[in-house]
Amino acid sequence: MTKVIAWPGTPLAAALARELGCECSELAVHRFPDGETLVRIDADVGGQDVVLVARLDRPEGKFLPLAFACDAARELGAGRVVLVAPYLPYMRQDTRFHPGEAVSSRTFARLVSSTADALVTVDPHLHRWQALSQLYSVPVRVAHAAPAIAQWVSRNVPSPLIVGPDAESEQWAAEIARLADAPHTVLEKTRRGDRDVAVRIGGDLPAGRFTPVIVDDIASTGRTLVAAAAALRAAGLPAPVAVAVHALLDDASLAAIRAGGVLAVVTCDTVEHATNAISILPALAQAVRAV
Ligand code: R5P
């Protein structure tokens, strides 16, 4: 038997529980006046596997409550504790870009591997790391958003041209293009700072009248999408649609993308956001069942 425990404010958890046909209980989290946190599991998890669905965007301050919850579940008699983190944070710091920097992805993986028995996530940012198994010592399953994104594109965008804004997006862009039976191209990005991004069109664009669909794994400041949209418009293409898997956008970033000549901004529901339009629930449930 399995029980889903939901991190507060994670609507995907209840939907996942329905999909898996099991009960869902929300984790109670109390913050003391001194800033310390107490978590409480209100469900009877004795003898059951626990699927802890946690929203780990804006992750600072979330790891300790997560570890408390995993330990509490086991102390209450749970079997395995499977962490479902639809967005896996810290993956972009996958090397020491400047002397003295921490490689946060490695440290976070070590901490999670020491507290959960398995991990399920959606399209982690794999760039310099090729697979999560290089980092995580517990069993890991990755659900992919490409099929759901390709289906959304096929249904909503006439004559799409799938555009990856940078080299690492080739992996998603190529797969979405294949599934949507559309051409694709990849642009060249240079990031000079958190909010300083330049994108150029490196090669030839396919001939024909296409609607560009920029696809990226993460939209955070939105600067990548804005710069990619500007490069496409400068090349004479119509206003693009922007699709991201993980919406880490605040209101100002979303406004900047919309002001940047993008036709529509659409995201998957790994992080609850006003732009969510593509459900990754079926793929996520399949990955949880597999683990
Ligand atoms: C980075 O390589 C990722 O794939 C995204 O392109 C990046 O995180 C987007 O960030 P921002 O929205 O801040 O440009």
Side-chain angles (χ1 to χ4, degrees):
M1 291 286 283
T2 300
K3 197 150 272 178
V4 170
I5 303 293
W7 193 267
T10 313
L12 200 55
L16 181 64
R18 279 194 296 278
E19 189 84 9
L20 297 173
C22 58
E23 287 174 21
C24 180
S25 167
E26 185 165 296
L27 185 73
V29 179
H30 175 72
R31 286 199 199 283
F32 290 106
D34 60 7
E36 294 184 4
T37 301
L38 172 68
V39 306
R40 191 183 66 240
I41 295 172
D42 290 324
D44 177 7
V45 294
Q48 311 214 24
D49 282 340
V50 162
V51 173
L52 175 60
V53 185
R55 207 189 136 154
L56 297 186
D57 59 306
R58 313 214 175 269
E60 302 294 318
K62 290 186 176 172
F63 178 74
L64 276 178
L66 185 73
F68 298 153
C70 290
D71 279 359
R74 273 186 288 264
E75 286 160 13
L76 293 168
R80 288 194 318 159
V81 180
V82 177
L83 172 63
V84 175
Y87 168 66
L88 190 61
Y90 295 114
M91 288 298 293
R92 284 173 292 175
Q93 186 68 26
D94 55 4
T95 189
R96 208 177 314 286
F97 293 99
H98 303 103
E101 285 180 351
V103 183
S104 320
S105 51
R106 189 162 37 217
T107 304
F108 189 67
R110 177 173 54 78
L111 292 172
V112 168
S113 299
S114 72
T115 200
D117 298 310
L119 169 70
V120 175
T121 189
V122 181
D123 287 332
H125 184 83
L126 292 172
H127 183 195
R128 290 168 189 84
W129 299 116
Q130 270 101 53
L132 288 182
S133 55
Q134 291 176 278
L135 292 168
Y136 285 79
S137 58
V138 290
V140 173
R141 284 278 167 170
V142 172
H144 296 290
I149 293 176
Q151 190 179 61
W152 185 91
V153 170
S154 300
R155 287 182 180 163
N156 293 281
V157 184
S159 305
L161 166 65
I162 308 300
V163 181
D166 51 25
E168 61 260 42
S169 66
E170 165 86 40
Q171 51 190 310
W172 307 286
E175 180 63 358
I176 292 165
R178 186 184 70 79
L179 294 169
D181 197 18
H184 82 280
T185 189
V186 174
L187 310 183
E188 292 174 7
K189 177 168 94 176
T190 310
R191 183 181 285 281
R192 292 182 287 254
D194 290 342
R195 295 170 193 277
D196 185 2
V197 174
V199 172
R200 61 184 285 273
I201 296 174
D204 291 336
L205 291 171
R209 182 84 187 153
F210 292 107
T211 306
V213 181
I214 308 168
V215 293
D216 208 352
D217 60 336
I218 294 168
S220 173
T221 66
R223 293 303 193 276
T224 299
L225 293 175
V226 169
L232 293 167
R233 296 308 299 272
L237 275 83
V241 173
V243 180
V245 179
H246 308 291
L248 308 185
L249 298 159
D250 60 19
D251 290 349
S253 302
L254 179 58
I257 299 171
R258 288 188 168 141
V262 169
L263 201 60
V265 186
V266 170
T267 61
C268 300
D269 54 1
T270 56
V271 178
E272 196 186 10
H273 193 266
T275 56
N276 289 168
I278 301 172
S279 172
I280 46 82
L281 184 61
L284 191 64
Q286 198 180 351
V288 173
R289 282 194 199 98
V291 85

